[in-house]
mmCIF file of all heavy atoms in Angstrom:
data_model
loop_
_atom_site.group_PDB
_atom_site.id
_atom_site.type_symbol
_atom_site.label_atom_id
_atom_site.label_comp_id
_atom_site.label_asym_id
_atom_site.label_seq_id
_atom_site.Cartn_x
_atom_site.Cartn_y
_atom_site.Cartn_z
ATOM 1 N N CYS B 326 -10.998 -5.168 -20.018
ATOM 2 C CA CYS B 326 -10.458 -6.354 -20.688
ATOM 3 C C CYS B 326 -10.989 -7.648 -20.064
ATOM 4 O O CYS B 326 -10.787 -7.892 -18.867
ATOM 5 C CB CYS B 326 -8.932 -6.341 -20.582
ATOM 6 S SG CYS B 326 -8.184 -7.817 -21.285
ATOM 7 N N PRO B 327 -11.651 -8.501 -20.836
ATOM 8 C CA PRO B 327 -12.174 -9.760 -20.283
ATOM 9 C C PRO B 327 -11.064 -10.683 -19.770
ATOM 10 O O PRO B 327 -11.280 -11.431 -18.809
ATOM 11 C CB PRO B 327 -12.923 -10.406 -21.448
ATOM 12 C CG PRO B 327 -12.524 -9.676 -22.667
ATOM 13 C CD PRO B 327 -12.027 -8.327 -22.252
ATOM 14 N N VAL B 328 -9.890 -10.616 -20.375
ATOM 15 C CA VAL B 328 -8.792 -11.457 -19.896
ATOM 16 C C VAL B 328 -8.304 -10.950 -18.534
ATOM 17 O O VAL B 328 -8.119 -11.725 -17.595
ATOM 18 C CB VAL B 328 -7.629 -11.501 -20.915
ATOM 19 C CG1 VAL B 328 -6.470 -12.318 -20.367
ATOM 20 C CG2 VAL B 328 -8.105 -12.053 -22.250
ATOM 21 N N TYR B 329 -8.125 -9.612 -18.421
ATOM 22 C CA TYR B 329 -7.715 -9.037 -17.135
ATOM 23 C C TYR B 329 -8.757 -9.356 -16.052
ATOM 24 O O TYR B 329 -8.407 -9.726 -14.934
ATOM 25 C CB TYR B 329 -7.520 -7.525 -17.262
ATOM 26 C CG TYR B 329 -7.099 -6.862 -15.970
ATOM 27 C CD1 TYR B 329 -5.753 -6.765 -15.615
ATOM 28 C CD2 TYR B 329 -8.044 -6.369 -15.075
ATOM 29 C CE1 TYR B 329 -5.378 -6.187 -14.411
ATOM 30 C CE2 TYR B 329 -7.683 -5.787 -13.873
ATOM 31 C CZ TYR B 329 -6.342 -5.693 -13.551
ATOM 32 O OH TYR B 329 -5.972 -5.136 -12.352
ATOM 33 N N HIS B 330 -10.040 -9.217 -16.391
ATOM 34 C CA HIS B 330 -11.097 -9.540 -15.420
ATOM 35 C C HIS B 330 -10.969 -10.980 -14.931
ATOM 36 O O HIS B 330 -11.246 -11.284 -13.780
ATOM 37 C CB HIS B 330 -12.480 -9.388 -16.066
ATOM 38 C CG HIS B 330 -12.839 -7.979 -16.393
ATOM 39 N ND1 HIS B 330 -13.813 -7.646 -17.292
ATOM 40 C CD2 HIS B 330 -12.318 -6.806 -15.956
ATOM 41 C CE1 HIS B 330 -13.903 -6.335 -17.389
ATOM 42 N NE2 HIS B 330 -12.997 -5.797 -16.590
ATOM 43 N N ALA B 331 -10.561 -11.869 -15.822
ATOM 44 C CA ALA B 331 -10.516 -13.281 -15.462
ATOM 45 C C ALA B 331 -9.286 -13.626 -14.639
ATOM 46 O O ALA B 331 -9.376 -14.405 -13.693
ATOM 47 C CB ALA B 331 -10.555 -14.143 -16.723
ATOM 48 N N VAL B 332 -8.135 -13.035 -14.946
ATOM 49 C CA VAL B 332 -6.901 -13.498 -14.294
ATOM 50 C C VAL B 332 -6.263 -12.468 -13.366
ATOM 51 O O VAL B 332 -5.350 -12.798 -12.615
ATOM 52 C CB VAL B 332 -5.843 -13.971 -15.331
ATOM 53 C CG1 VAL B 332 -6.404 -15.091 -16.185
ATOM 54 C CG2 VAL B 332 -5.333 -12.822 -16.189
ATOM 55 N N GLY B 333 -6.727 -11.177 -13.401
ATOM 56 C CA GLY B 333 -6.143 -10.155 -12.540
ATOM 57 C C GLY B 333 -4.779 -9.724 -13.042
ATOM 58 O O GLY B 333 -4.273 -10.232 -14.052
ATOM 59 N N GLY B 334 -4.159 -8.790 -12.332
ATOM 60 C CA GLY B 334 -2.934 -8.174 -12.819
ATOM 61 C C GLY B 334 -1.665 -8.976 -12.587
ATOM 62 O O GLY B 334 -0.732 -8.932 -13.370
ATOM 63 N N HIS B 335 -1.640 -9.744 -11.470
ATOM 64 C CA HIS B 335 -0.383 -10.415 -11.132
ATOM 65 C C HIS B 335 -0.007 -11.509 -12.124
ATOM 66 O O HIS B 335 1.163 -11.817 -12.297
ATOM 67 C CB HIS B 335 -0.450 -10.991 -9.718
ATOM 68 C CG HIS B 335 -0.317 -9.924 -8.677
ATOM 69 N ND1 HIS B 335 -0.807 -10.053 -7.401
ATOM 70 C CD2 HIS B 335 0.244 -8.690 -8.724
ATOM 71 C CE1 HIS B 335 -0.558 -8.957 -6.708
ATOM 72 N NE2 HIS B 335 0.072 -8.112 -7.486
ATOM 73 N N ALA B 336 -1.014 -12.088 -12.785
ATOM 74 C CA ALA B 336 -0.733 -13.168 -13.727
ATOM 75 C C ALA B 336 0.205 -12.692 -14.839
ATOM 76 O O ALA B 336 0.986 -13.472 -15.376
ATOM 77 C CB ALA B 336 -2.037 -13.693 -14.321
ATOM 78 N N TYR B 337 0.128 -11.377 -15.157
ATOM 79 C CA TYR B 337 0.963 -10.866 -16.247
ATOM 80 C C TYR B 337 2.451 -10.893 -15.891
ATOM 81 O O TYR B 337 3.301 -10.715 -16.745
ATOM 82 C CB TYR B 337 0.522 -9.455 -16.645
ATOM 83 C CG TYR B 337 -0.843 -9.436 -17.317
ATOM 84 C CD1 TYR B 337 -2.010 -9.488 -16.568
ATOM 85 C CD2 TYR B 337 -0.945 -9.376 -18.695
ATOM 86 C CE1 TYR B 337 -3.260 -9.483 -17.177
ATOM 87 C CE2 TYR B 337 -2.190 -9.365 -19.319
ATOM 88 C CZ TYR B 337 -3.344 -9.422 -18.549
ATOM 89 O OH TYR B 337 -4.568 -9.417 -19.166
ATOM 90 N N GLY B 338 2.733 -11.035 -14.607
ATOM 91 C CA GLY B 338 4.091 -11.364 -14.212
ATOM 92 C C GLY B 338 5.089 -10.231 -14.136
ATOM 93 O O GLY B 338 6.268 -10.451 -13.834
ATOM 94 N N TRP B 339 4.636 -8.989 -14.394
ATOM 95 C CA TRP B 339 5.550 -7.861 -14.217
ATOM 96 C C TRP B 339 4.719 -6.641 -13.860
ATOM 97 O O TRP B 339 3.540 -6.780 -13.562
ATOM 98 C CB TRP B 339 6.386 -7.654 -15.484
ATOM 99 C CG TRP B 339 7.582 -6.745 -15.267
ATOM 100 C CD1 TRP B 339 8.479 -6.802 -14.233
ATOM 101 C CD2 TRP B 339 7.981 -5.641 -16.075
ATOM 102 N NE1 TRP B 339 9.409 -5.811 -14.356
ATOM 103 C CE2 TRP B 339 9.128 -5.077 -15.473
ATOM 104 C CE3 TRP B 339 7.483 -5.063 -17.246
ATOM 105 C CZ2 TRP B 339 9.787 -3.954 -16.010
ATOM 106 C CZ3 TRP B 339 8.134 -3.964 -17.781
ATOM 107 C CH2 TRP B 339 9.276 -3.415 -17.174
ATOM 108 N N VAL B 340 5.291 -5.435 -13.906
ATOM 109 C CA VAL B 340 4.595 -4.276 -13.347
ATOM 110 C C VAL B 340 3.432 -3.772 -14.200
ATOM 111 O O VAL B 340 2.520 -3.137 -13.688
ATOM 112 C CB VAL B 340 5.575 -3.129 -13.039
ATOM 113 C CG1 VAL B 340 6.536 -3.558 -11.957
ATOM 114 C CG2 VAL B 340 6.329 -2.687 -14.274
ATOM 115 N N TYR B 341 3.459 -4.027 -15.513
ATOM 116 C CA TYR B 341 2.392 -3.500 -16.363
ATOM 117 C C TYR B 341 1.455 -4.623 -16.810
ATOM 118 O O TYR B 341 1.837 -5.466 -17.614
ATOM 119 C CB TYR B 341 2.985 -2.814 -17.600
ATOM 120 C CG TYR B 341 3.875 -1.638 -17.287
ATOM 121 C CD1 TYR B 341 5.243 -1.678 -17.529
ATOM 122 C CD2 TYR B 341 3.336 -0.475 -16.748
ATOM 123 C CE1 TYR B 341 6.062 -0.587 -17.236
ATOM 124 C CE2 TYR B 341 4.137 0.615 -16.450
ATOM 125 C CZ TYR B 341 5.506 0.551 -16.701
ATOM 126 O OH TYR B 341 6.308 1.620 -16.415
#
Side-chain angles (χ1 to χ4, degrees):
Chain B
C326 176
V328 177
Y329 180 87
H330 292 161
V332 302
H335 285 156
Y337 291 80
W339 194 46
V340 295
Y341 299 112

